[in-house]
Amino acid sequence: MDATTVNTKMSDDWAKSYVVSAHSGEEMIHPSETLVRLFKGDYVTGHRENLKGKSVLDVGFGEGNNTIFLASLGMQVAGVEIHQDICTQVASKMKRYNMMADLQVGSNQSLPFADNTFDYLVSWNVLHYEGTEAGVKAGIKEYARVLKPNGRLFLSSTGPTHKILLNSKTLGSHRYEIGRPNDFRQGQVHFFFDAPNYIELYFSPHFGDLQIGRIEDVMFREKLDWWLVTGLKK
Ligand SMILES: C[S@@+](CC[C@H](N)C(=O)[O-])C[C@H]1O[C@@H](n2cnc3c(N)ncnc32)[C@H](O)[C@@H]1O
């Protein structure tokens, strides 16, 4: 299995960025506060009872902090990343916490798991790297494929006022070329949902009971903005 839908430069750049942060002591060790709230709080009713033993796939797990949090809930965790080095780095990080997960190379559009495998799928700031409408649609379809019927999706994706859009070029609906200075993603094209009705449009063919939320923070100089999506596989 390889991440054929992702270009090599992009996967190499991500792998390098994580090696650099691990060696410079800048590696993050905390999970997303929002994801913690979704699993520990009752913002989405009826889902958090009996998480122990439930299966979850963490797509694009990055430094593995959400993966570790999900494992700490007693869930059976799997994850995919676009470079083998990222999988290896996070597998050894999890070992340090006495935890295990099935970490494999894969991508939004190509998940190396059978149909109807997972109770949950977490996609945390990953889908927008698809960059095109066709890629985003294919990613959402692939997420639904590996979820069990009625399995739950939790997704976060950058909103239209997020700091990453500083100096970006608008290429058309939802598509932005990243222009932020000193960001290794400069020049990449990302796909950001411009409004909630588009989220409904893209997800509703595969997910029912859709709920759309938004987290906006002004952290002094920086504006953070994320869409939150949850729904059940149809
Ligand atoms: C902003 S980071 C988020 C990491 C992690 N989910 C978190 O919340 O800490 C985005 C991650 O998406 C991965 N990625 C980029 N393109 C991807 C794709 N097409 N499919 C799956 N993952 C991808 C990158 O390697 C990177 O680790």
Side-chain angles (χ1 to χ4, degrees):
M1 177 69 219
D2 60 18
T4 45
T5 59
V6 179
N7 78 48
T8 317
K9 179 171 176 346
M10 194 197 256
S11 61
D12 285 350
D13 284 351
W14 274 108
K16 253 186 271 164
S17 81
Y18 291 135
V19 170
V20 168
S21 58
H23 284 97
S24 64
E26 284 168 20
E27 184 187 34
M28 291 202 287
I29 56 166
H30 54 275
S32 153
E33 179 191 339
T34 306
L35 189 71
V36 173
R37 289 166 71 192
L38 284 175
F39 274 91
K40 302 290 278 190
D42 60 358
Y43 300 95
V44 176
T45 46
H47 93 88
R48 66 187 170 134
E49 293 81 25
N50 307 319
L51 287 172
K52 214 172 160 77
K54 292 265 166 68
S55 54
V56 57
L57 176 63
D58 187 3
V59 178
F61 54 77
E63 290 174 306
N65 302 313
N66 295 334
T67 327
I68 289 170
F69 165 66
L70 295 166
S72 79
L73 299 175
M75 301 182 82
Q76 293 295 318
V77 186
V80 299
E81 255 299 346
I82 55 177
H83 199 293
Q84 180 56 47
D85 289 357
I86 306 178
C87 296
T88 307
Q89 187 167 324
V90 170
S92 63
K93 182 173 180 175
M94 291 192 78
K95 218 167 155 194
R96 294 202 296 276
Y97 291 92
N98 247 339
M99 288 175 174
M100 270 181 47
D102 176 7
L103 305 180
Q104 300 191 40
V105 174
S107 65
N108 291 319
Q109 293 190 46
S110 180
L111 299 170
F113 299 98
D115 299 358
N116 308 322
T117 300
F118 296 101
D119 297 304
Y120 285 84
L121 187 145
V122 170
S123 168
W124 219 249
N125 300 325
V126 172
L127 184 63
H128 48 258
Y129 289 98
E130 284 305 326
T132 65
E133 181 184 53
V136 164
K137 282 186 170 167
I140 294 169
K141 190 171 173 199
E142 181 70 348
Y143 291 173
R145 182 185 69 75
V146 299
L147 272 169
K148 293 176 183 171
N150 262 331
R152 183 170 290 284
L153 169 74
F154 278 127
L155 178 136
S156 167
S157 189
T158 306
T161 64
H162 195 276
K163 63 177 181 177
I164 196 172
L165 282 157
L166 181 74
N167 292 346
S168 66
K169 192 154 86 186
T170 306
L171 302 179
S173 306
H174 316 291
R175 298 182 72 238
Y176 301 89
E177 185 181 312
I178 302 304
R180 206 158 73 118
N182 305 320
D183 191 314
F184 73 90
R185 294 164 291 187
Q186 208 179 47
Q188 289 181 12
V189 177
H190 294 182
F191 183 103
F192 301 132
F193 296 106
D194 294 325
N197 55 319
Y198 291 105
I199 298 177
E200 179 94 34
L201 186 73
Y202 285 90
F203 284 85
S204 58
H206 305 287
F207 292 92
D209 204 16
L210 270 178
Q211 297 181 67
I212 299 163
R214 192 166 184 177
I215 298 279
E216 285 182 272
D217 273 336
V218 181
M219 292 293 280
F220 307 116
R221 284 172 296 116
E222 302 201 310
K223 176 74 197 285
L224 305 169
D225 182 10
W226 292 284
W227 297 113
L228 299 178
V229 184
T230 190
L232 300 176
K233 178 195 170 161
K234 282 182 174 169

